[in-house]
Amino acid sequence: MLPNTGKLAGCTVFITGASRGIGKAIALKAAKDGANIVIAAKTAQAHPKLAGTIYSAAEEIKAAGGKALPCVVDVRDEQQISSAVEKAVEKFGGIDILVNNASAISLTNTLETPTKKVDLMMNINTRGTYLTSKACIPYLKKSKIAHILNLSPPLNLNPLWFKQHCAYTIAKYGMSMCVLGMAEEFKGEIAVNALWPKTAIYTAAMDMLGGSGIESQCRKVDIIADAAYCIFKKPKSFTGNFIIDENILKEEGIKNFDVYAITPGHPLLPDFFLDEQPVIVTKESATHELKEEEAQPPPKPRSGAVEGTFRIVKDSLSDDIVKATQAVYQFELSGEDGGTWFLDLKSKGGNVGYGEPSDRADVVMSMSTDDFVKMFSGKLKPTIAFMSGRLKIKGNMGLAIKLEKLMNQMNARL
């Protein structure tokens, strides 16, 4: 973990989405220096599924050694942004750092993304970041520190990152384009940078998205907080950068990254928008296995392998698995022994079979028969298959990720 230096003592940090998760972690790191934190977030009353409000975050910030100003802010509302900025300046005398953290996500393809979701992502991610920056810039110009930090990815134009969730990618890249433009526009006055994690970060939102068990494949929010702290210590001339958390911490001399893992030694999920091979962020044994797999030509699909896999899956089903999953999966498999198959985890006891399910599928997965067998036997992670384009998914992404846990339970038998 990166030690605090006290450099942010007395500085005012305006953070959107700071009531929980990454935003709150950055707030608490700065608070340990004695910083003033403006908690600009929507949650004033406790959410039934997501812990934390602007007021509970304020108490934690004060306990950590900082001062707090909780403000109800929906970044889609320009008036709420302006009001929070005015209150911050009135209470603390200015704004030194802005963190654009508020974000919305829907990992759905074009036809599966309702207009309401498109508008939500565009208005929170891109427009919200732009308007909050615009409101803070006059005060940031007067600061000796003067940083804007957007939690957004490098502008990677590989089509892979567009084809499965085009609207989300556009909305996140809008945040990154604000970095590109504003860094140049305010060069010498304000440092404007982007920060993105190398691996998945465990938050309540990730729990909802990935389902139970996803945390073992994630790092703690602390790694983003430490990376952000490194950036805040840089001069204004450090601007226009798209920073990966692990890289900047390595530059600071951090060598042990197990301290950031939820489950030290467990393979980690690579984050979106990074083309680096997943083997880089997996444990040594997983790396060896993947490299061996890449070095060999892909084997021909075994005759009856898919049918055999489904037979084992059927034998493994139980009412408990059905109750915990509640989803119908359809598989469109290419190659020998392929065709349309289904896995029904809604009906009592569950069922599998050849052809389309009797009820409409919640998730449709398209892949080769060989990759299907590898996925269910644990030789190919579904997330890695999806991110590399070998697996196409239509429907409920949360339920798709849920299937990975079921696969892990079956690996020993396949």
Side-chain angles (χ1 to χ4, degrees):
M1 296 284 187
L2 191 75
N4 280 64
T5 62
K7 183 176 173 63
L8 300 183
C11 290
T12 298
V13 188
F14 190 108
I15 308 176
T16 65
S19 60
R20 62 177 70 91
I22 288 171
K24 189 179 77 172
I26 294 172
L28 291 172
K29 182 70 178 178
K32 288 176 184 175
D33 269 6
N36 309 316
I37 311 295
V38 184
I39 308 156
K42 287 194 304 178
T43 311
Q45 295 181 329
H47 189 282
K49 293 183 179 178
L50 299 171
T53 68
I54 56 174
Y55 304 111
S56 63
E59 291 306 311
E60 289 184 59
I61 286 162
K62 290 172 188 174
K67 293 179 181 177
L69 174 63
C71 297
V72 176
V73 176
D74 182 337
V75 294
R76 293 172 291 179
D77 188 327
E78 189 173 9
Q79 185 53 51
Q80 288 186 18
I81 296 168
S82 298
S83 176
V85 169
E86 287 169 13
K87 287 176 185 174
V89 173
E90 183 181 347
K91 184 174 178 69
F92 298 127
I95 296 172
D96 299 291
I97 296 168
L98 165 63
V99 180
N100 286 305
N101 167 69
S103 193
I105 182 171
S106 180
L107 297 175
T108 46
N109 62 33
T110 302
L111 297 180
E112 298 288 336
T113 311
T115 303
K116 186 177 179 182
K117 283 277 179 71
V118 176
D119 290 343
L120 181 74
M121 290 188 284
M122 300 299 175
N123 289 336
I124 291 178
N125 301 5
T126 300
R127 184 175 180 272
T129 293
Y130 184 89
L131 292 181
T132 308
S133 300
K134 183 181 178 182
C136 291
I137 282 168
Y139 303 101
L140 289 166
K141 281 185 168 189
K142 299 174 185 177
S143 170
K144 290 181 180 178
I145 294 179
H147 275 268
I148 295 175
L149 181 63
N150 294 353
L151 272 296
S152 64
L155 287 165
N156 184 347
L157 297 183
N158 183 339
L160 168 68
W161 303 116
F162 290 83
K163 71 175 188 177
Q164 302 286 11
H165 38 75
C166 189
Y168 173 63
T169 299
I170 293 169
K172 286 305 288 187
Y173 280 18
M175 296 175 72
S176 299
M177 291 173 81
C178 285
V179 171
L180 200 63
M182 292 178 188
E184 195 65 25
E185 184 177 357
F186 301 105
K187 187 176 284 187
E189 296 180 285
I190 304 168
V192 187
N193 296 289
L195 175 61
W196 194 246
K198 185 170 184 176
T199 72
I201 302 296
Y202 185 61
T203 62
M206 174 61 79
D207 212 20
M208 290 176 71
L209 190 69
S212 177
I214 194 75
E215 65 271 17
S216 63
Q217 302 172 66
C218 301
R219 282 176 172 164
K220 302 171 188 173
V221 291
D222 300 333
I223 191 168
I224 293 288
D226 282 0
Y229 188 78
C230 290
I231 295 165
F232 300 153
K233 294 192 297 176
K234 301 280 188 182
K236 291 180 187 179
S237 57
F238 184 80
T239 190
N241 300 290
F242 293 87
I243 301 144
I244 303 301
D245 57 356
E246 185 177 305
N247 295 350
I248 195 167
L249 289 171
K250 281 181 177 176
E251 291 173 12
E252 289 285 322
I254 300 293
K255 294 177 181 177
N256 178 19
F257 287 89
D258 269 353
V259 296
Y260 295 114
I262 298 288
T263 308
H266 195 284
L268 297 167
L269 281 175
D271 207 353
F272 289 93
F273 309 116
L274 304 178
D275 283 343
E276 295 177 45
Q277 289 298 317
V279 293
I280 294 171
V281 292
T282 59
K283 63 184 179 182
E284 190 173 337
S285 60
T287 301
H288 180 67
E289 180 185 330
L290 281 165
K291 281 182 177 174
E292 278 193 342
E293 213 172 80
E294 288 166 0
Q296 298 168 357
K300 293 179 180 178
R302 294 166 292 165
S303 178
V306 172
E307 185 180 2
T309 298
F310 273 111
R311 190 167 54 247
I312 295 170
V313 170
K314 187 174 184 178
D315 291 343
S316 304
L317 297 182
S318 67
D319 287 334
D320 287 340
I321 289 173
V322 171
K323 187 178 178 181
T325 312
Q326 285 297 293
V328 176
Y329 300 92
Q330 182 173 321
F331 302 90
E332 297 295 337
L333 306 179
S334 60
E336 190 178 344
D337 200 25
T340 300
W341 296 76
F342 71 87
L343 171 58
D344 180 353
L345 296 178
K346 269 187 182 174
S347 304
K348 184 175 175 61
N351 194 19
V352 305
Y354 184 77
E356 294 189 3
S358 54
D359 292 332
R360 185 174 182 270
D362 298 292
V363 183
V364 179
M365 297 182 168
S366 303
M367 72 200 88
S368 70
T369 54
D370 189 50
D371 282 342
F372 172 83
V373 173
K374 283 182 181 177
M375 273 174 41
F376 270 88
S377 61
K379 294 177 182 175
L380 176 64
K381 287 280 184 185
T383 309
I384 292 173
F386 173 73
M387 294 176 73
S388 62
R390 292 161 72 177
L391 165 63
K392 294 180 181 178
I393 299 174
K394 291 182 181 178
N396 189 314
M397 183 61 71
L399 291 175
I401 296 173
K402 229 178 186 185
L403 185 62
E404 186 165 357
K405 185 181 179 184
L406 178 62
M407 290 179 184
N408 290 337
Q409 293 172 2
M410 296 178 179
N411 287 170
R413 301 191 59 185
L414 290 157

